[in-house]
Amino acid sequence: MKFNDYIFIFTIFTIISFAILPITTQNYFTYYDIPTVNASKSTPTIFDIINYSDNKIILRIIRPDLSIPSEEGLLWLDKYLSLRTIYPDGKVVPIDIKLDIQDFNFCLTNEVYGIGSPIKIYPIRSKFLLVTYAEAADLNDPFTYIEKAMVIDLNGNIYGNTTFKSTYVDVVTNQWLPDQAGIFVNYNSYKGFLRVIPITNTSDFGFERYEVTGDGNILFLVQDILNFKESLSLMLTAIPMVDGRYAIVYANSTDSEVTSIIPQEGLYILILEYDKETEREPAVLYQTTIHGLKFTDINCDVSYVGIGQVCIVTGEYTIGAVKETIYFKFDFLSCGTAYNFKPLKIQTNPLIEYYAVQLLPYGGYLLSGIGSVDNITIVYGYVFNDDGEVYSWNLPNIVESNVIAGSTILRNNTFVLARVGEKPRWALITTELHKFNEDRDHGYNNFHIASTTPSIDDMIPSDLEFLNIKYYNKVELSNGNITIFQDDGNIRQTTSGINGRYVSYGDDTTIKVAILKSTFNQPGRRYYVSIDNNSVKDKIYQEPLYGVNDHVWSFTTTQTETEISSDDVMGQVRLTPEGTSYFLYEADREVFLMKLKRELADAIPVNPNRITTNEGFEIDTSVSQKQIFLSIDIKKMETEQERSVSLAIMDLDSLIKNKPITVIASGESTSYLDEDYGYKTLPNWRKTYGSALLGIFAITLVLICFFFYAKRKNADAKNTVIFQLGIIIFDVIMDITFIITKAKNIEALYIPSILFTIGPFIISVIIAFVIIKKEEKMREFFEWSRENKKVVDVFTVLAGSEVELLTILESKVIIGGNIVGRLYRFRDYKRVVYESADNDESNVKKEP
Ligand SMILES: *[C@@H]1O[C@H](CO)[C@@H](O)[C@H](O)[C@H]1NC(C)=O
Ligand SMILES: *[C@@H]1O[C@H](CO)[C@@H](O)[C@H](O)[C@H]1NC(C)=O
Ligand SMILES: *[C@@H]1O[C@H](CO)[C@@H](O)[C@H](O)[C@H]1NC(C)=O
Ligand SMILES: *[C@@H]1O[C@H](CO)[C@@H](O)[C@H](O)[C@H]1NC(C)=O
Ligand SMILES: *[C@@H]1O[C@H](CO)[C@@H](O)[C@H](O)[C@H]1NC(C)=O
């Protein structure tokens, strides 16, 4: 249970605005707080300090509402949720949120366990806060209370809310009290949180698990209701573990006066899945037959320097009139095995009433104690470790705090404590605590990583092939992802530790991540690698290790010389069988293609205008299942900073071929692309057409010469016919290319097109031959043709090519059995576009 919960504050309501003894240290942070709303003129007090992602600290500020007459044990507050976000540079962003909830949520109560507040806030999903509150149909009937939570962001926007499964009512006092439930945010905060609550009128506890979705909704996942036999005292806490599960550690004990034969009191551990009911029995960590031992506090956390979790247990040992407080620590693994039990020696201070021991990120512990002198809350503390080394906490001993004595320890070992500010200020004091394992801190915020290549802030070449991560201990790959991002947060590649294709071992302690060609494709750009929790496990202990956060392991690609600009290119991608059927029968094709273009441009990344598509498609007949090609063209770059066409082709192919690990897999349209095909360019028809034209021009030139030659020989003959040769030759070339490159993709067309090309060709040759033979009968022609035998032969063959495919192709052809396609043939491009019969004809884009 939380440190604060054990503070008994008797005088808080009288000392809210007492004067503060000034203390001059450099790490004293004070803020002149002007609320953004019409708040009460009372002194702002820090109620809660939250260590938020990306090194932000969030404070919850409360202001007593002076207009409400004070009542014994109650303190009414301004009805705003007032948050102050402190950024690493010291900037403070205030926000006062008006929540549409009942007024009693803004009333603090003085309870035996400390200060009660229905509103509690927890950081979740790196951009949200979870806010708990309560609702009552009848304030005087404890059984009408329900507890709820809502999700807000740091700008005060409100997202989803939920009603929790149960609310606890003490049937002895017949009271509903705030703070009866504990909320534990998952170690992977996208996995939600656990709520632990005693069940009214039973010795059961409910363990409710919820998820908070990316759009801020709260979903109930599962709950366990577990029985904890009637014991005199039950001390229970939950620890979110690195692998996303929760460990419940609890201690129970019976009355010290009663001797029972069977040992019953002890320490137990129970592992809960984050989204499944548990079927496991608790494991025994420690059991004793010795009576008189009562556990009063358990404080556990993931160990940043060691393996697994660490718990610090406080117990009271009473024999007769002698009462002794004992402290010990132990480590446990996520399988439920505990080891390394060690007693801890605490140096006490006569002014201090309550002590707490907290684990420090760099190893060792912070002991802090709270007391009260002349109505001023005082705090005492020091740092120590298992070996009994003791260090000062670099603050005066003792130091004054505000009544709440809110504090937190940041990941960089900085201790933050709330103080009382001079009206209208609030104040904080911070101190950097002794770092026991500083030599293992290489800037990754991860004490398991010895080094990486590239290292933080390196310059890397764009064609880097591997990332290497060297750990201190022997490691094994696990299922968390290792993701490479561009500095703006766009994913370049993401691979799971157990995906052998991309992640492998260097040696026992090193893992290697293969880099795709497309990953670091922007020169002079910053990238970062984020390592999920549980991407690797410690090999010996089989314990998941925590990862590396965003923007920590960053480096920059070197500037490369600008490339020579290349021309536009045409190419195609293939849809998977599912993608094909989705595209043909379900999708709005226009929307699909629009998204496809956009997603591909973002994936490379290039300016979206550079990716184009004509809206046609073709069937791929080389595969057994029905799959279609979509044309994707890449336009040449407009500025030299952009990715050249040739590199963009390579990137696109690499991105699609490695789809499972790139953004292609997560795009709405791109997820339907076939990774076996990638991106292939097509011969550029404009170029082919160009060279064909050039050929025709040459031939025509030859023919003109030939024409003049023939005219000189015989001025009466119909020599203009020679000019038709140019057109005819072009037609032959195009027909043959069409059959070779295109018609073969359309099974049903292949045979007919061959028949319709070759058949009439042969017939025409025969007819031409017959005609020419007949003409030969005319003497002049006969003589001319005798003299020009070669010309006649050419005519004979070319006459056969006067085959009008168009008329044949425009007839209806049945393709694949269910599409009655209409085929268009465009003489210049000869790209084939067909559509199902029920489709609007205007969808077919006719190319120039
Ligand atoms: C605060 O109160 C004053 C006077 O009562 C009013 O003019 C002003 O608009 C209020 N401001 C806000 C932010 O509610
Ligand atoms: C520790 O982190 C806090 C919060 O991000 C930051 O303000 C502070 O400067 C850091 N301290 C050190 C010594 O780096
Ligand atoms: C909770 O959600 C419901 C439905 O979205 C909404 O109508 C209601 O106003 C929300 N309650 C609060 C306190 O935001
Ligand atoms: C609590 O449980 C006892 C026995 O099971 C029952 O008699 C009593 O009515 C219960 N009280 C409430 C408030 O549900
Ligand atoms: C303590 O908990 C254990 C395990 O849940 C149980 O077996 C034992 O009976 C409990 N002891 C008491 C005194 O409740």
Side-chain angles (χ1 to χ4, degrees):
M1 297 264 148
K2 279 275 167 63
F3 183 46
N4 293 339
D5 298 351
Y6 293 93
I7 309 162
F8 293 75
I9 291 164
F10 309 106
T11 50
I12 79 154
F13 308 115
T14 57
I15 56 168
I16 282 290
S17 47
F18 71 91
I20 180 71
L21 310 162
I23 178 169
T24 43
T25 59
Q26 286 172 323
N27 34 25
Y28 186 76
F29 187 94
T30 175
Y31 181 74
Y32 189 90
D33 200 283
I34 299 172
T36 58
V37 289
N38 277 345
S40 149
K41 296 284 179 285
S42 57
T43 310
T45 300
I46 298 170
F47 186 77
D48 214 348
I49 305 176
I50 289 175
N51 197 354
Y52 203 64
S53 65
D54 298 344
N55 298 326
K56 288 195 276 285
I57 301 171
I58 293 182
L59 306 179
R60 181 182 166 208
I61 302 293
I62 52 168
R63 289 167 196 276
D65 184 343
L66 301 178
S67 67
I68 299 177
S70 61
E71 259 176 86
E72 180 64 32
L74 297 183
L75 182 72
W76 286 92
L77 307 174
D78 265 359
K79 290 171 192 59
Y80 296 100
L81 179 61
S82 299
L83 304 176
R84 306 289 180 261
T85 308
I86 309 177
Y87 288 85
D89 59 1
K91 196 177 93 180
V92 177
V93 176
I95 180 159
D96 300 279
I97 308 163
K98 186 98 203 144
L99 298 175
D100 184 20
I101 59 181
Q102 280 169 286
D103 286 355
F104 76 91
N105 286 292
F106 297 97
C107 183
L108 300 184
T109 54
N110 199 2
E111 311 291 350
V112 244
Y113 58 81
I115 298 168
S117 165
I119 296 181
K120 282 272 160 92
I121 53 175
Y122 306 86
I124 199 151
R125 273 205 92 111
S126 77
K127 56 178 177 184
F128 294 133
L129 284 171
L130 183 76
V131 180
T132 60
Y133 60 100
E135 244 174 54
D138 174 0
L139 288 174
N140 299 315
D141 181 355
F143 291 97
T144 65
Y145 282 71
I146 55 170
E147 285 172 32
K148 302 190 69 172
M150 64 170 92
V151 172
I152 64 168
D153 66 15
L154 294 189
N155 299 318
N157 298 313
I158 297 171
Y159 299 85
N161 62 56
T162 194
T163 302
F164 290 129
K165 292 287 158 203
S166 53
T167 303
Y168 176 73
V169 178
D170 184 335
V171 291
V172 179
T173 59
N174 204 32
Q175 250 190 320
W176 172 86
L177 294 177
D179 299 325
Q180 298 306 298
I183 291 207
F184 303 87
V185 176
N186 198 290
Y187 200 83
N188 302 296
S189 77
Y190 62 88
K191 285 188 173 167
F193 60 92
L194 163 75
R195 180 174 182 262
V196 183
I197 179 125
I199 307 289
T200 305
N201 206 12
T202 68
S203 57
D204 292 344
F205 269 75
F207 298 87
E208 305 166 8
R209 271 89 95 196
Y210 296 85
E211 188 189 324
V212 174
T213 60
D215 52 4
N217 285 312
I218 309 172
L219 306 177
F220 171 71
L221 294 173
V222 71
Q223 79 167 331
D224 280 305
I225 296 190
L226 303 174
N227 183 265
F228 296 83
K229 298 187 184 125
E230 294 289 351
S231 62
L232 190 77
S233 78
L234 176 74
M235 180 51 64
L236 183 147
T237 190
I239 308 101
M241 298 193 293
V242 170
D243 61 7
R245 295 183 302 164
Y246 305 95
I248 309 297
V249 176
Y250 64 95
N252 59 17
S253 44
T254 46
D255 193 328
S256 59
E257 304 306 317
V258 183
T259 39
S260 84
I261 306 133
I262 313 146
Q264 275 189 325
E265 48 218 80
L267 264 173
Y268 305 86
I269 185 168
L270 183 65
I271 308 289
L272 301 181
E273 298 293 327
Y274 94 94
D275 61 349
K276 281 199 283 288
E277 279 181 45
T278 185
E279 284 153 14
R280 296 170 56 151
E281 287 294 310
V284 181
L285 296 184
Y286 170 85
Q287 242 175 1
T288 181
T289 47
I290 305 166
H291 293 283
L293 179 63
K294 190 178 153 200
F295 298 103
T296 55
D297 195 10
I298 306 176
N299 198 322
C300 305
D301 209 341
V302 166
S303 169
Y304 288 106
V305 285
I307 303 293
Q309 291 66 223
V310 187
C311 288
I312 298 150
V313 182
T314 311
E316 270 171 18
Y317 189 50
T318 320
I319 313 171
V322 186
K323 191 168 158 190
E324 202 187 333
T325 306
I326 57 162
Y327 299 87
F328 66 91
K329 78 115 196 185
F330 64 89
D331 296 296
F332 73 92
L333 301 175
S334 54
C335 59
T337 313
Y339 64 108
N340 235 346
F341 280 84
K342 268 201 176 140
L344 300 177
K345 268 195 120 110
I346 300 295
Q347 301 171 355
T348 54
N349 182 309
L351 293 173
I352 299 303
E353 293 160 67
Y354 305 98
Y355 289 99
V357 182
Q358 285 162 287
L359 201 65
L360 291 175
Y362 279 69
Y365 316 93
L366 171 70
L367 172 108
S368 59
I370 295 176
S372 167
V373 176
D374 297 337
N375 281 349
I376 295 174
T377 306
I378 52 165
V379 182
Y380 157 86
Y382 64 88
V383 175
F384 68 105
N385 69 359
D386 287 351
D387 304 330
E389 293 173 48
V390 174
Y391 293 85
S392 155
W393 70 343
N394 304 323
L395 286 179
N397 247 336
I398 51 187
V399 64
E400 314 83 53
S401 173
N402 75 5
V403 285
I404 315 290
S407 69
T408 194
I409 297 168
L410 307 179
R411 266 299 281 278
N412 64 13
N413 237 36
T414 299
F415 177 70
V416 182
L417 176 71
R419 300 208 38 170
V420 178
E422 251 175 284
K423 197 174 167 182
R425 295 169 186 271
W426 46 257
L428 286 174
I429 190 161
T430 65
T431 177
E432 210 187 323
L433 300 176
H434 179 78
K435 293 178 173 171
F436 283 103
N437 290 281
E438 205 168 3
D439 55 324
R440 281 180 62 162
D441 170 16
H442 303 292
Y444 299 96
N445 282 342
N446 186 316
F447 295 94
H448 297 300
I449 296 179
S451 65
T452 62
T453 44
S455 57
I456 293 174
D457 287 341
D458 266 359
M459 294 297 288
I460 58 151
S462 306
D463 58 357
L464 189 80
E465 284 177 45
F466 290 99
L467 297 178
N468 284 291
I469 307 159
K470 187 165 176 54
Y471 288 84
Y472 278 108
N473 298 342
K474 290 185 180 173
V475 289
E476 212 172 87
L477 295 171
S478 191
N479 55 19
N481 283 336
I482 298 175
T483 308
I484 301 173
F485 293 90
Q486 216 163 263
D487 52 0
D488 59 7
N490 280 338
I491 293 179
R492 298 310 300 164
Q493 69 170 73
T494 176
T495 46
S496 138
I498 46 173
N499 192 334
R501 203 169 136 203
Y502 303 97
V503 185
S504 56
Y505 295 101
D507 57 48
D508 277 358
T509 60
T510 310
I511 61 162
K512 288 169 73 166
V513 182
I515 307 292
L516 304 183
K517 282 198 183 75
S518 54
T519 296
F520 296 124
N521 64 1
Q522 310 280 302
R525 178 135 208 177
R526 209 152 167 83
Y527 293 89
Y528 64 87
V529 184
S530 115
I531 303 176
D532 282 0
N533 299 319
N534 196 15
S535 289
V536 295
K537 282 188 200 166
D538 182 274
K539 193 172 175 147
I540 294 164
Y541 291 97
Q542 288 293 303
E543 186 70 9
L545 301 182
Y546 62 94
V548 175
N549 289 343
D550 293 355
H551 299 288
V552 171
W553 178 15
S554 311
F555 37 77
T556 310
T557 47
T558 49
Q559 281 289 353
T560 47
E561 282 170 32
T562 46
E563 298 140 49
I564 314 120
S565 73
S566 34
D567 265 344
D568 297 1
V569 5
M570 301 169 95
Q572 61 188 19
V573 292
R574 190 167 71 186
L575 295 185
T576 57
E578 306 78 63
T580 300
S581 94
Y582 174 73
F583 181 80
L584 291 178
Y585 310 118
E586 289 166 48
D588 178 333
R589 292 183 196 174
E590 228 169 276
V591 174
F592 183 94
L593 290 170
M594 209 179 63
K595 279 195 186 131
L596 182 66
K597 282 191 288 188
R598 183 94 216 175
E599 287 165 2
L600 289 177
D602 288 347
I604 299 177
V606 291
N607 183 329
N609 304 333
R610 288 182 59 197
I611 302 291
T612 61
T613 174
N614 73 24
E615 278 150 34
F617 60 89
E618 292 161 27
I619 286 193
D620 181 3
T621 50
S622 66
V623 285
S624 55
Q625 271 175 297
K626 185 157 148 190
Q627 288 185 257
I628 57 173
F629 291 122
L630 296 177
S631 82
I632 295 291
D633 304 342
I634 305 175
K635 295 237 178 308
K636 66 166 175 267
M637 57 196 188
E638 275 148 24
T639 66
E640 291 199 328
Q641 279 77 49
E642 285 179 66
R643 197 80 176 144
S644 76
V645 169
S646 55
L647 291 176
I649 294 169
M650 204 186 72
D651 292 344
L652 198 51
D653 189 47
S654 166
L655 285 163
I656 298 171
K657 283 197 172 136
N658 295 288
K659 173 173 136 182
I661 72 161
T662 63
V663 278
I664 298 296
S666 53
E668 263 178 78
S669 288
T670 53
S671 61
Y672 288 117
L673 295 181
D674 189 344
E675 58 185 284
D676 294 333
Y677 187 79
Y679 175 72
K680 287 192 176 47
T681 54
L682 296 173
N684 192 328
W685 285 97
R686 259 164 277 188
K687 270 191 192 159
T688 316
Y689 187 29
S691 34
L693 269 179
L694 212 73
I696 290 160
F697 183 70
I699 292 168
T700 316
L701 215 69
V702 171
L703 289 178
I704 289 170
C705 300
F706 189 55
F707 167 75
F708 283 110
Y709 168 76
K711 199 173 168 77
R712 240 191 34 214
K713 280 255 162 175
N714 188 346
D716 295 339
K718 267 188 164 179
N719 288 323
T720 48
V721 86
I722 290 169
F723 288 115
Q724 287 177 15
L725 272 172
I727 314 290
I728 293 163
I729 288 167
F730 176 66
D731 199 33
V732 172
I733 293 168
M734 286 330 234
D735 285 348
I736 289 166
T737 332
F738 169 75
I739 290 164
I740 290 168
T741 64
K742 288 282 141 187
K744 78 160 188 280
N745 290 341
I746 305 160
E747 207 166 13
L749 271 186
Y750 194 43
I751 305 297
S753 50
I754 288 178
L755 284 182
F756 287 134
T757 311
I758 309 289
F761 179 76
I762 293 168
I763 293 165
S764 305
V765 170
I766 294 168
I767 292 168
F769 187 75
V770 169
I771 292 168
I772 287 168
K773 273 275 173 264
K774 268 191 174 169
E775 297 256 319
E776 276 176 8
K777 289 200 174 122
M778 295 154 70
R779 221 182 130 259
E780 301 96 32
F781 188 79
F782 179 66
E783 273 172 15
W784 181 85
S785 69
R786 282 277 292 268
E787 282 169 36
N788 306 284
K789 191 159 188 331
K790 293 223 161 65
V791 180
V792 175
D793 286 350
V794 169
F795 262 96
T796 313
V797 174
L798 291 181
S801 75
E802 272 292 271
V803 174
E804 246 342 315
L805 258 183
L806 192 61
T807 50
I808 295 149
L809 295 176
E810 276 187 346
S811 63
K812 294 206 167 182
V813 183
I814 292 170
I815 294 156
N818 50 9
I819 301 174
V820 180
R822 185 185 284 180
L823 193 74
Y824 293 85
R825 171 173 167 257
F826 305 109
R827 293 201 136 216
D828 38 10
Y829 273 39
K830 306 259 170 162
R831 284 191 138 189
V832 182
V833 178
Y834 63 89
E835 53 167 347
S836 58
D838 57 350
N839 202 11
D840 182 358
E841 210 163 288
S842 65
N843 274 355
V844 177
K845 183 180 161 199
K846 300 204 165 118
E847 295 194 43

